[in-house]
Amino acid sequence: MSSFAASHLSPSYPDRAAWGTAPKLRAWQQQAFDLYFRREPRDFLTVATPGAGKTTYALRIASELLANGVIRAITIVTPTEHLKRQWADAASKVGIGIDPEFKNSQGATSRDYLGVAVTYAQVAMHPALHRARTEARKTLVIFDEIHHAGDAKSWGDGIREAFEPAVRRLQLTGTPFRSDDNPIPFVGYEEDTEGLKRSVSDFSYGYGPALDDGVVRPVIFLAYSGEMKWRTRAGDELAATLGTPLTKDQLSQAWRAALDPKGDWIRQVMEAADRRLTEVRRGVPDAGGLVIATDHEAARAYARHLRNISGEGATVVLSDDPGASNKIKQFAASGDRWLVAVRMVSEGVDIPRLCVGVYATSTSTPLFFAQAVGRFVRARKRGEMASVFLPSVPTLMGLANEMELERDHVLNRRPPEDGLDDSLLEDANRKKDNPDVLGDELPFEMMETSATFDRVLFDGGEFGTGAEVGSAEEEDFLGLPGLLEPDQVATLLRKRQSDQQAARAKKTESAPPALAPHEQIAELRRELNGLVGAWNHRTGQPHGVIHSDLRRACGGPPIAQATAAEIQERIDKIRQWATQRR
């Protein structure tokens, strides 16, 4: 039995240690550690949800292999420069010297180090050099977020050439899927019943089990819709309501208008997020917030908004800033309220005090979304809860509802659904000087935007009945305590939902209808169609099937002949479905 092994460990521990340096292993880490040394494999793929503690686990394995003489050197491969330093800092705390400043031009590093930390791009530029280093000593290669090794075919070929001679390879990822068919080096694939090849992990620990164990925080998503108006280059004035069924072009332009720093939508959402942060800090005094922006110009504008909203300056981290790593490190150690980043703080970056986020970017790949949300789930003690604000866009709503879904990398698959493959992650993390293009829309001028609270998403359920910004209904959700267990979150959300529905029903009974009958029915049909659209994205069922299911459940004629009361009953029924865990 390893000297590092421990028995009867609880799934979590009360206070989170420095990144990668926990004195004891969590239950999942111990299980994966024991499995690794039972098998003594050359390759081992560990899939663990962001925030679960992959670094601690990997460094413990490295320490054991060094102590047993199985390896004499370590190479750590990461997606970004910042993560090289983060790994080196963590390794130094457990007595392993890693050089994060190693350059290809050096050829060798100081004898003070047991290894180096390099990026995937760095290896791909000179694979022969890294192969020679790997052959020179018995080497363990730790691949952090191994899916990046398939970012380009040339990268994959270079990674294979460089590290084929390694005596041990440990692959780590929190998101083992990609948006393309590039195979991931040193990862095994098996053919499924449909003839598709799926990646196979040796050990997997998803968000759902991690949440049950108290290893990660529960995340509530607060979605905001609203009215958007803009003028096209041709001079046409257009309007759309975010959160209602829209064409692809309408959605892309409305989304872009919502994120425009000159409009009220993003300012109102950031005001709500700042109020939420204030509430969270009552129970978590050092809680911080992160706004993930699309481009440099927007990031600076968002920071100005936050200064006006909170009275405090925000730390801005840009991808071409040579001091970005130091800024992130300083923010992590401070008690400052807000950090604004151009999407680069999306993967591996460790700021455990981040509890509130604003998803203000148009990047919508499942990979990027999962890694961005992963910045908020890193638990320090039980009860801490994370809150992420996002626009009511079907793709994002679907991803938020699929937090617990475990994906594999699939080769030779069919073309992805529209909207799920709009960019690769390396594009999401590179320097962005210009706004993203969502679809093929023409340049336009944002005229007017405004936000309304739409709903809360948690654990596969949807809560809330829609409300104006600043209303008591919105405050019901913004004012949730910052320290809650997952079951308490669900209970409280259901109570908020029930109270709001009861209050709305009472108000409807006591007040005369403000709309003419045809207007009331048209309004209810719009609301029902919007909910059906959201349910379609969540379940994949066609709209017609959903309407038929509602009619069977509630009775009554087809929607065209239904009364206002019958439509309202169907609205209540589909909202009831949405609050039930899948």
Side-chain angles (χ1 to χ4, degrees), residues 181 188-192 194-200 408-413:
D181 278 357
Y189 291 84
E190 290 183 356
E191 191 169 295
D192 64 13
E194 298 178 357
L196 302 175
K197 291 186 176 181
R198 294 184 175 274
S199 61
V200 179
D408 300 313
H409 184 216
V410 181
L411 302 181
N412 304 319
R413 61 183 172 180

Side-chain angles (χ1 to χ4, degrees), residues 13 130 376 399 568:
Y13 46 84
H130 295 278
F376 304 96
L399 294 173
Q568 184 62 57

Side-chain angles (χ1 to χ4, degrees), residues 130-440:
H130 295 278
R131 183 183 182 96
R133 295 190 69 259
T134 304
E135 289 175 331
R137 290 193 293 174
K138 294 187 294 184
T139 300
L140 163 69
V141 183
I142 298 174
F143 296 99
D144 185 22
E145 305 297 351
I146 180 64
H147 53 272
H148 281 286
D151 277 357
K153 188 177 186 302
S154 60
W155 281 31
D157 293 341
I159 297 298
R160 287 189 187 89
E161 178 184 348
F163 300 119
E164 189 279 330
V167 298
R168 294 290 177 92
R169 292 181 290 254
L170 179 61
Q171 296 95 352
L172 308 173
T173 183
T175 46
F177 52 93
R178 293 184 53 79
S179 300
D180 55 35
D181 278 357
N182 290 337
I184 304 171
F186 309 122
V187 168
Y189 291 84
E190 290 183 356
E191 191 169 295
D192 64 13
T193 55
E194 298 178 357
L196 302 175
K197 291 186 176 181
R198 294 184 175 274
S199 61
V200 179
S201 62
D202 296 286
F203 187 90
S204 182
Y205 186 63
Y207 175 77
L211 184 62
D212 292 339
D213 289 345
V215 169
V216 295
R217 294 174 181 146
V219 181
I220 63 170
F221 295 92
L222 297 102
Y224 280 73
S225 56
E227 298 290 331
M228 312 296 152
K229 296 180 181 179
W230 64 93
R231 182 182 293 110
T232 68
R233 186 168 61 181
D236 297 327
E237 294 186 4
L238 303 177
T241 301
L242 208 61
T244 61
L246 300 172
T247 66
K248 180 180 177 181
D249 287 344
Q250 288 173 331
L251 174 61
S252 65
Q253 294 179 30
W255 189 355
R256 181 175 172 184
L259 299 182
D260 192 314
K262 297 186 293 295
D264 287 337
W265 187 94
I266 188 64
R267 179 185 54 78
Q268 291 171 331
V269 170
M270 286 194 291
E271 285 177 348
D274 191 69
R275 295 202 303 275
R276 177 68 189 144
L277 181 59
T278 296
E279 183 61 42
V280 171
R281 285 169 78 104
R282 297 182 196 279
V284 187
D286 68 338
L290 167 65
V291 178
I292 301 177
T294 295
D295 59 80
H296 292 188
E297 181 181 353
R300 295 186 181 98
Y302 293 162
R304 290 192 292 271
H305 280 318
L306 288 169
R307 175 181 287 278
N308 293 331
I309 291 167
S310 69
E312 298 181 18
T315 299
V316 179
V317 178
L318 305 177
S319 51
D320 60 350
D321 183 354
S325 289
N326 286 334
K327 284 186 177 181
I328 293 171
K329 197 170 183 178
Q330 289 169 9
F331 180 84
S334 74
D336 296 347
R337 289 178 72 88
W338 284 103
L339 174 70
V340 183
V342 183
R343 305 188 304 178
M344 65 174 293
V345 185
S346 66
E347 184 176 36
V349 172
D350 186 63
I351 309 175
R353 68 187 191 87
L354 286 178
C355 294
V356 177
V358 179
Y359 197 89
T361 172
S362 54
T363 304
S364 59
T365 60
L367 182 58
F368 183 86
F369 185 87
Q371 291 171 347
V373 173
R375 298 319 98 214
F376 304 96
V377 303
R378 297 174 180 268
R380 296 179 297 181
K381 60 182 179 181
R382 293 195 71 101
E384 289 186 345
M385 180 173 66
S387 307
V388 177
F389 291 71
L390 44 77
S392 290
V393 173
T395 300
L396 299 183
M397 303 288 274
L399 294 173
N401 267 321
E402 295 169 357
M403 272 287 289
E404 297 185 25
L405 182 64
E406 295 183 13
R407 292 183 173 91
D408 300 313
H409 184 216
V410 181
L411 302 181
N412 304 319
R413 61 183 172 180
R414 292 180 294 275
E417 294 181 16
D418 186 35
L420 292 181
D421 194 23
D422 56 344
S423 65
L424 297 180
L425 190 63
E426 69 272 17
D427 175 66
N429 281 322
R430 72 188 181 188
K431 174 182 175 181
K432 300 295 291 185
D433 291 315
N434 300 308
D436 284 351
V437 176
L438 291 168
D440 298 322

